[in-house]
C-alpha cells in the first residue's frame, strides 16, 4: 500500500458501502499512510423533517460536521497533557486542587484521586454521575445530558468516597467530563475556549468545536436512529466527554499530528501528543492497556491506538499506528447498532492500513 490512489480507492469503497448498504444516510472518512493521504465522503445531510424533499438533501463534503461522541475524550486528555507539559498542572495533582469549595470528595483511607486517574478511567468513578438519572431518564433516548450543570457535576463529586487508585479500568463519562472542567478551572476559563486555544487552533482544526444551534443547522449532518431523524445531543457540564463535532478534513489533520508530532507547533503541544500515546495503565493481567484517552494494543509488533464514539444519532471511529505511520477515521450520522457496521468498517480500514 504505497500510493495515494490505492488508499483513496480503499477509503472510498468502505465509506461508499456504508451509505450504499443503507447503514447510514451519510459517512465521511480520512486515511493516511506515510506521505499518502485521502478523504472520502458519501451521502446527504438529510435535514430533519425534509428527508424526502429535494431541498432537504444536501451532499456532505469534507467540511460537514459530524458528532464525535466519546472520541472527544482523546482531545480532553490531550489538553491535560498540554497543560502538564507547560507545568500549569501535574498529572498527579489531586482533583481536590481544582474543585470549587464544598465539592471535595468524602474523606477516607487511601491516596486521593489524581487528574491522570480521570484520564485513564482508573479513578473508580461510575460511568455516569448518579444525580444525572432523575432528570436524564425523562429524555434518555433524545437528549440525556442536556441541562446537567457544573454545579450538578460538583455535587456528584462531593458524594464520592475517597479511594486509593485502582488498576481496574472502568470507562467513565463522569470522570472525563470532570477532568475537562477541572482543567478549565485551573486555567481560569471555560472548557471549549481552553481546548480551542491550546489544542484545536494550533493543530489547524478550526472546524472542530462544540457547535451552537445555528452552526448545527447550517453545517452539521443530521443524526439518525434506525433510519429516522434524531435530535442532536447537548452535553453541557459533561461536554469534555462527548460534545465535540468535527469534519473529515479536520480528522485528517488530527491523524497527521498523532503520526508526526515533531511537526506540531508549539513544542509544548508536540510533547503533549507524544505523552498522550504512552501506555499509562493496564489491567492486572494486561488484557487492556490505555494511554491518555487511547486504547492501546500491540499486534504483529506494531502499536495500535484507537477510540470509538457514539451519540443518539452518530457513530465515530479513529485509530492510528505510529509504528506503521498509518491512521484512519470514519464518521457517520447514524446511531450504533448491535452489528456496529460503522465501527467495523473503521477497524477493517485500520487493519488494512496498519497491518498490510
Amino acid at each position: 500500500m504505497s500510493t495515494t490512489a490505492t488508499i483513496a480507492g480503499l477509503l472510498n469503497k468502505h465509506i461508499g458501502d456504508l451509505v450504499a448498504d443503507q447503514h447510514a444516510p451519510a459517512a465521511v472518512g480520512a486515511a493516511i499512510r506515510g506521505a499518502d493521504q485521502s478523504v472520502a465522503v458519501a451521502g446527504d445531510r438529510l435535514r430533519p423533517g425534509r428527508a424526502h424533499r429535494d431541498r432537504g438533501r444536501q451532499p456532505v463534503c469534507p467540511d460537514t460536521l459530524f458528532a464525535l461522541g466519546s472520541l472527544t475524550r482523546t482531545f480532553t486528555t490531550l489538553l491535560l497533557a498540554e497543560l502538564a507539559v507547560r507545568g500549569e498542572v501535574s498529572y498527579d495533582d489531586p482533583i481536590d486542587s481544582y474543585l470549587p469549595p464544598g465539592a471535595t470528595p468524602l474523606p477516607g483511607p487511601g491516596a486521593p484521586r489524581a487528574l491522570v486517574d480521570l484520564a485513564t478511567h482508573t479513578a473508580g468513578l461510575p460511568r455516569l454521575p448518579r444525580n444525572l438519572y432523575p432528570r436524564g431518564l425523562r429524555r434518555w433516548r433524545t437528549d440525556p445530558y442536556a441541562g446537567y450543570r457544573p454545579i450538578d457535576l460538583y455535587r456528584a463529586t462531593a458524594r464520592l468516597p475517597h479511594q486509593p487508585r485502582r488498576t481496574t479500568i472502568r470507562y467513565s463519562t463522569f470522570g472525563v467530563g470532570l477532568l475537562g472542567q477541572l482543567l478549565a478551572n485551573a486555567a481560569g476559563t471555560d472548557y471549549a475556549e481552553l481546548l480551542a486555544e491550546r489544542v484545536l487552533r494550533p493543530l489547524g482544526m478550526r472546524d472542530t468545536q462544540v457547535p451552537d444551534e445555528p452552526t448545527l443547522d447550517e453545517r452539521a449532518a443530521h443524526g439518525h436512529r434506525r433510519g429516522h431523524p434524531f435530535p442532536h445531543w447537548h452535553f453541557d457540564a459533561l461536554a469534555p466527554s462527548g460534545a465535540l463535532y468535527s469534519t473529515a478534513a479536520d480528522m485528517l489533520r488530527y491523524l497527521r499530528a498523532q503520526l508526526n508530532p515533531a511537526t506540531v507547533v508549539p513544542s509544548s503541544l508536540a510533547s503533549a501528543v507524544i505523552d498522550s500515546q504512552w501506555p499509562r495503565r493496564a489491567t492486572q493481567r494486561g488484557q487492556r492497556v490505555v494511554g491518555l484517552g487511547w486504547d492501546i494494543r500491540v499486534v504483529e509488533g506494531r502499536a495500535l491506538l484507537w477510540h470509538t464514539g457514539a451519540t443518539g444519532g452518530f457513530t465515530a471511529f479513529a485509530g492510528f499506528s505510529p509504528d506503521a505511520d498509518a491512521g484512519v477515521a470514519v464518521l457517520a450520522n447514524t446511531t450504533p447498532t448491535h452489528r456496529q457496521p460503522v465501527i467495523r468498517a473503521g477497524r477493517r480500514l485500520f487493519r488494512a492500513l496498519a497491518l498490510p
Side-chain angles (χ1 to χ4, degrees), residues 14 18 317 328 330 340-350:
H14 281 79
L18 284 173
F317 172 91
V328 64
V330 176
Q340 297 281 24
V342 178
I343 303 301
R344 291 174 67 184
R347 287 175 175 164
R348 285 195 299 268
L349 271 166
F350 188 24

Side-chain angles (χ1 to χ4, degrees), residues 31-226:
I32 182 171
R33 191 168 193 267
D36 300 327
Q37 58 189 43
S38 185
V39 169
V41 303
D44 299 311
R45 285 182 57 204
L46 293 176
R47 299 166 74 179
R50 302 174 180 176
H52 301 292
R53 304 179 190 175
D54 290 340
R55 63 186 179 132
R57 293 182 177 273
Q58 180 180 352
V60 295
C61 68
D63 296 326
T64 300
L65 291 168
F66 286 75
L68 295 184
S70 295
L71 256 176
T72 301
R73 300 171 195 198
T74 68
F75 291 86
T76 301
T77 51
L78 179 56
L79 179 61
L80 166 62
E82 203 276 343
L83 268 66
V85 168
R86 287 176 179 253
E88 297 176 32
V89 303
S90 169
Y91 291 124
D92 293 322
D93 282 347
I95 67 172
D96 305 14
S97 303
Y98 306 107
L99 285 166
T104 302
L106 297 171
R113 294 176 177 87
L115 297 180
V116 70
D117 299 325
L118 298 178
T120 55
H121 301 290
T122 53
L125 271 66
R127 187 180 186 93
L128 294 171
R130 292 180 180 176
N131 62 353
L132 170 71
Y133 292 100
R135 76 177 65 178
L137 285 175
R138 294 194 297 269
R139 48 191 175 198
W140 196 249
R141 293 192 174 186
T142 56
D143 203 359
Y145 307 117
Y148 190 76
R149 305 162 298 169
I151 191 172
D152 300 318
L153 182 66
Y154 296 140
R155 285 171 177 167
T157 304
R159 295 185 176 95
L160 291 171
H162 198 83
Q163 297 178 12
R165 299 178 191 173
R166 298 179 174 182
T167 57
T168 300
I169 298 170
R170 186 181 184 185
Y171 199 69
S172 178
T173 297
F174 180 4
V176 182
L178 177 60
L179 173 64
Q181 297 298 340
L182 297 182
L183 297 177
N185 292 346
T189 185
D190 67 88
Y191 167 77
E193 178 52 37
L194 182 63
L195 184 69
E197 176 189 346
R198 298 296 186 88
V199 174
L200 300 177
R201 286 197 287 266
L203 292 182
M205 301 179 69
R206 297 186 179 275
D207 288 327
T208 303
Q209 59 189 289
V210 180
D212 57 21
E213 292 302 318
T215 301
L216 288 172
D217 186 59
E218 291 299 320
R219 298 197 48 204
H222 197 83
H224 285 75
R225 180 184 177 92
R226 297 176 182 173

